Each structure stands twice: as C-alpha cells, then as structure tokens.
Amino acid sequence: MAEFHIIGKTSLQGEIPVRGAKNSALKAIAAAPLFARPFSIKNVPAIEDVSRMTDLVEDLGVQTAMEGERILSLDGSTIKGFALKKEIAERLRASIVLTGPLLARQKKVSSPYPGGCVIGRRPIDIFIEGFRSLGAKVKVSKRGFEAQAAKLTGTRFTFRKISVTATETLMMAASLAHGKTVLINAALEPEIQHLAKFLNGSGAHIKGAGTPVIEITGTGGKLLKAKAPFVTIPDRVETGSFLVLGALLGNPLTITGCNPVHVEVPIAMLKAAGVPIERGDSSLTVRHPKKILAFNVSTREYPGFPTDLQAPFAVLLTQARGQSTVSETVFDGRLGYIEDLNRMGARITPGDPHRILIDGPSRFRGREIESPDLRAGLAFVIAALTAQGKSVVRNIYQIDRGYEKIEERLQAVGAKITRHET
Ligand code: EPU
C-alpha cells in the first residue's frame, strides 16, 4: 500500500504535461480482437488500468509488448479465448468494451459484471440489449453474461440512455457485422470519434461518430488491418484537473500537450468565475486570481460538463466566494467525498442525493484522507495542496489507476508531494 504525503500552500509554476487519455487508450486495447495483424498504440499512459487491460487481452491470447516509451504493440492474430478473466475484469469498467470485439471475432463471449470505480449503480443492460439487437443470443446470470452469435447482423438500435462504453462496444461489434447498423442517441465523447477514425483507417466503415447517429457498414466478418498506429488523444480529465490546480495555485501553471477544444465548457466556467486562462493550440496557461466567484456545476454528457471533473471542481468551489451548487446527473453515487473535504475545513452540505451546496471560501487544514475513487482521489490531492500543513492521502492505488506518476509531474512544478510505501 502506498500513500502521498503532501505539504500544502506552495504556489505552482512551470509546465505540467498531460498524458494520453486512459479512456482512449483502454478502448484501443479492447479493439485488438478486431485485427488480423499487429498494431501499436502510441502515447499510452503508464497507469494501472492500462496494465490490467493489457493483462486481460493477454489472457485471451493477444500478444502484447512495450516497444519503447509509451508505445504498446498488440497482436490479435493469436487470439484463442472468449471468456474474460473474472479477477481482472472485475477491476475495471472498461473491460466490458472488450466484449463487443470478442463477440464479433470469436462468435462467443462471456464476461463477469465489470468493476471499476464505486460511483453508484453501473448496470450493463444496454450492452445486452445491443448485442441481442445485433442478433446474438445472450444469457444473463448472477455471475455475468454469455453471448453467442454465429454471425452478427446489422441493426437499428436506440440507446434509451446515453452510454460511452456501450456506444464504443456496439460500434466495434457492428464494424465486423453483416449489413448496416444505425446507432441512435450515441454518446459524443471525443474518445469515440477518435476510435472510429482509427478503425476506419484500418478498414472499417463508420460514419457519424461524434454525432448522435452513427452508421456502420459491417465488413461481413473481414478483420481489420491497421495502416498506422493509434495515437492516444490527450487526457481531458487530466487537463481539466490541472486547470483547477492552476486556478488555485498557479503562478502561473502551463498545461502542455493538451487539446483545449476538449475542455471548452470547463474553460468557459473558469473564465466566468474570474480565472485568467491563456489558450494555445495544445497548451493552457492558468493563474490563481485574487478572487474566484462562486458558480453552479451540473454534469452532462459531452460536450457538457464532464462528471469526471465534478470532484476537482467541487474542491475549487470551496475556495470561491459565495454559494455554489454541484449537481451530479450522470452517476448516482459520486458525491461521497464531501465528508472528507468538510474534515479539511470545507463547508459543503448535501442538498438532495444528487446535489451539494458549497459555501466558500474556506480555509483548509491538512488531514489524513483516503481516496474513494480515481477522480475524487486526485481531487483530494488538489485539496491537500491548498491546505495549511501536512496531509496524508491513502489508497493511492486508485490514483495510480488513472494518472501516470502524478507526484513526479507535480513535484516538477513546485508541489511538496512524496510517495511512501507503507
Ligand atoms: N448505464 C445504464 N446501463 C448500461 C450502461 C450505462 O444504465 O448498460 C447508465 C450508467 O449507470 C450511468 C449512465 O448510463 O448512469 C452513463 O454511464 P456510461 O455508460 O456513459 O459510463 P461508462 O461508459 O461506464 C465512461 C467512463 C467513465 C465516465 C463516463 C461518463 C470509461 C471506461 N469510463 O463510463 O470514466 O465517467 O463514461 O463520461 O470510459 C473514469 O475514468 O474515472 C470514469 C468513471
């Protein structure tokens, strides 16, 4: 078990690089069964979830190798299995995305209920509906599900709820299907559009990714062949979290290797609250203003305000003048961190199960806190960096799942943060 020791209240200056997006790289790994030949993924973040996802595909016979810094190669030609290993799949939600490509390739897939962050109910009913719509026979049990289809057939499928991973999963399964699939009310996240572009460059026929209607003409079982590597897009959650860090402590802080277009709404909110942000093509420079004005946040699917930035923004709002509200509309259990922030000195009160009220500004004092999940874990690190005195952040496995060596990048801009094995 490892923990971070953090001494707060030092201003941060210099450049902090953004790594490749976890939720982009994981989906490219999940695509491996669609490919007849090896392909590589560049800008892969060195994080726990990438290692687990790599273990998961290796267990199915995919050969993987690191070919230099942040380059992962995958060879799906040797794939043999169809059952996701329970112990691994239960550790990350993205494991379920693999079920689409596996079903298309192996004509059969079995999966336990995927794990991941404990942020409320995370059902898989939409995946099951989608597979059935593509012509698969699906058996659901207490342990998970098994799907079989000698051949997947193009379909017209409407998501009754927008889902990022279900959109990716069905889009990939339909890529090898027979005939045309139309996915309606699809998620719009940039990771999906980027994945579709890569698949198209490899022989798939996907139109409309990044819009609510995606049309896929299946290859009729013909496997894909990559002509170029998949280059992971910059992590927009990391970018947004560093924006919060800069707004609280930047003197100034320059975020490099990011794509500002993917964080338009968080940028607009911060600017309206009085945070100065200078925008480059792939960088953002942010400075701590004399005062931050309170504002309201409501999470939405992309291009709205991302749920993954909800906890870091709540930390920011504890330092804003006046009352703010934060409403979580995507997940039903993602506000569980407020007690710990209150122990640090925040004044957060629950409104209803999906809403909190934050009165600010508050003075934070260092405390011992435990990361509840990946995104709230980084929010706690940010809170500790703004607090007077020393904090200890425990359960940092959660943070390592999604952020590559975060302490080293923070140290480089002046943060007093160290990792300790216990
Ligand atoms: N939902 C269902 N049934 C389903 C699937 C989803 O009811 O079959 C519901 C969920 O319970 C939730 C809503 O639909 O209320 C939206 O969930 P979605 O499926 O879009 O979330 P996800 O695909 O499981 C991905 C990211 C999350 C991110 C969300 C929203 C991955 C691996 N995970 O999750 O990222 O918060 O989209 O943007 O891509 C993280 O990285 O820390 C993380 C939680």
Side-chain angles (χ1 to χ4, degrees):
M1 291 289 269
E3 57 193 32
F4 285 141
H5 292 191
I6 298 168
I7 313 271
K9 285 260 172 249
T10 45
S11 63
L12 306 180
Q13 200 170 33
E15 294 190 354
I16 187 158
V18 167
R19 299 292 180 226
K22 166 178 85 79
N23 289 341
S24 171
L26 292 177
K27 316 310 167 51
I29 301 173
L34 300 177
F35 286 80
R37 288 212 219 114
F39 67 96
S40 54
I41 308 178
K42 289 190 170 168
N43 197 28
V44 183
I47 55 175
E48 283 291 326
D49 273 16
V50 162
S51 306
R52 296 296 77 76
M53 195 72 177
T54 309
D55 293 345
L56 195 61
V57 293
E58 268 182 1
D59 182 64
L60 292 161
V62 175
Q63 291 181 37
T64 74
M66 283 311 289
E67 289 184 343
E69 211 182 19
R70 302 195 187 88
I71 304 174
L72 174 68
S73 74
L74 297 157
D75 183 356
S77 65
T78 48
I79 198 156
K80 52 185 186 324
F82 66 87
L84 300 197
K85 195 170 184 177
K86 186 172 181 305
E87 299 75 49
I88 309 174
E90 281 176 348
R91 288 173 81 164
L92 74 168
R93 175 79 178 177
S95 61
I96 195 157
V97 181
L98 188 54
T99 62
L102 260 188
L103 175 63
R105 170 79 176 255
Q106 302 294 74
K107 309 193 181 335
K108 189 171 172 180
V109 64
S110 84
S111 168
Y113 290 101
C117 288
V118 183
I119 50 180
R121 269 175 2 98
R122 296 182 84 178
I124 55 167
D125 47 352
I126 297 170
F127 296 79
I128 310 275
E129 285 165 21
F131 288 149
R132 284 190 174 135
S133 179
L134 281 162
K137 284 212 164 60
V138 189
K139 267 194 272 170
V140 184
S141 70
K142 272 197 208 127
R143 280 170 285 121
F145 72 93
E146 199 173 292
Q148 284 195 50
K151 108 177 185 191
L152 293 174
T153 312
T155 186
R156 195 180 154 81
F157 182 75
T158 302
F159 293 94
R160 51 190 167 77
K161 190 163 188 171
I162 299 175
S163 164
V164 175
T165 43
T167 300
E168 292 161 334
T169 306
L170 298 182
M171 181 176 88
M172 290 207 271
S175 293
L176 298 194
H178 296 255
K180 189 178 180 186
T181 297
V182 183
L183 300 176
I184 298 150
N185 198 25
L188 310 180
E189 270 64 6
E191 292 77 15
I192 300 173
Q193 199 176 351
H194 190 64
L195 178 65
K197 207 169 149 198
F198 172 64
L199 299 176
N200 282 343
S202 310
H205 308 284
I206 303 168
K207 277 200 268 177
T211 77
V213 180
I214 306 182
E215 255 186 49
I216 306 135
T217 306
T219 62
K222 187 166 178 244
L223 296 177
L224 308 183
K225 290 177 186 155
K227 294 199 181 73
F230 177 90
V231 184
T232 312
I233 57 172
D235 196 312
R236 60 196 163 89
V237 184
E238 224 174 66
T239 307
S241 305
F242 294 164
L243 279 172
V244 168
L245 202 59
L248 292 169
L249 296 161
N251 187 25
L253 187 68
T254 297
I255 304 161
T256 59
C258 62
N259 186 346
V261 173
H262 294 165
V263 280
E264 295 285 8
V265 172
I267 290 175
M269 283 179 168
L270 291 171
K271 281 192 167 170
V275 178
I277 300 176
E278 273 170 48
R279 190 172 164 150
D281 288 341
S282 60
S283 70
L284 290 160
T285 297
V286 54
R287 188 182 285 276
H288 173 56
K290 278 210 183 72
K291 114 177 150 188
I292 301 170
L293 305 172
F295 59 97
N296 298 336
V297 169
S298 184
T299 63
R300 289 277 178 271
E301 295 84 10
Y302 190 84
F305 182 86
T307 169
D308 292 341
L309 283 177
Q310 182 253 102
F313 268 66
V315 172
L316 176 87
L317 292 171
T318 63
Q319 306 307 313
R321 198 161 294 189
Q323 189 175 68
S324 312
T325 63
V326 174
S327 306
E328 173 57 56
T329 73
V330 178
F331 292 108
D332 54 16
R334 220 176 190 183
L335 294 164
Y337 57 81
I338 63 174
E339 247 175 63
D340 280 308
L341 290 185
N342 282 346
R343 280 202 304 117
M344 295 183 82
R347 285 175 285 141
I348 310 180
T349 44
D352 58 52
H354 300 284
R355 201 163 62 104
I356 51 175
L357 309 176
I358 304 177
D359 286 290
S362 300
R363 227 172 253 197
F364 276 18
R365 286 170 303 277
R367 287 281 182 265
E368 296 193 2
I369 40 184
E370 187 146 335
S371 302
D373 64 70
L374 158 75
R375 306 304 179 188
L378 185 62
F380 280 3
V381 168
I382 297 173
L385 287 168
T386 60
Q388 190 72 49
K390 179 175 171 177
S391 296
V392 176
V393 181
R394 302 225 159 85
N395 194 25
I396 62 172
Y397 173 78
Q398 286 296 334
I399 300 174
D400 292 336
R401 282 187 51 205
Y403 302 100
E404 180 184 318
K405 293 189 186 138
I406 192 68
E407 74 279 19
E408 290 181 12
R409 285 183 284 158
L410 291 171
Q411 283 158 4
V413 290
K416 293 190 178 138
I417 173 170
T418 45
R419 177 184 290 262
H420 298 259
E421 298 296 332
T422 57

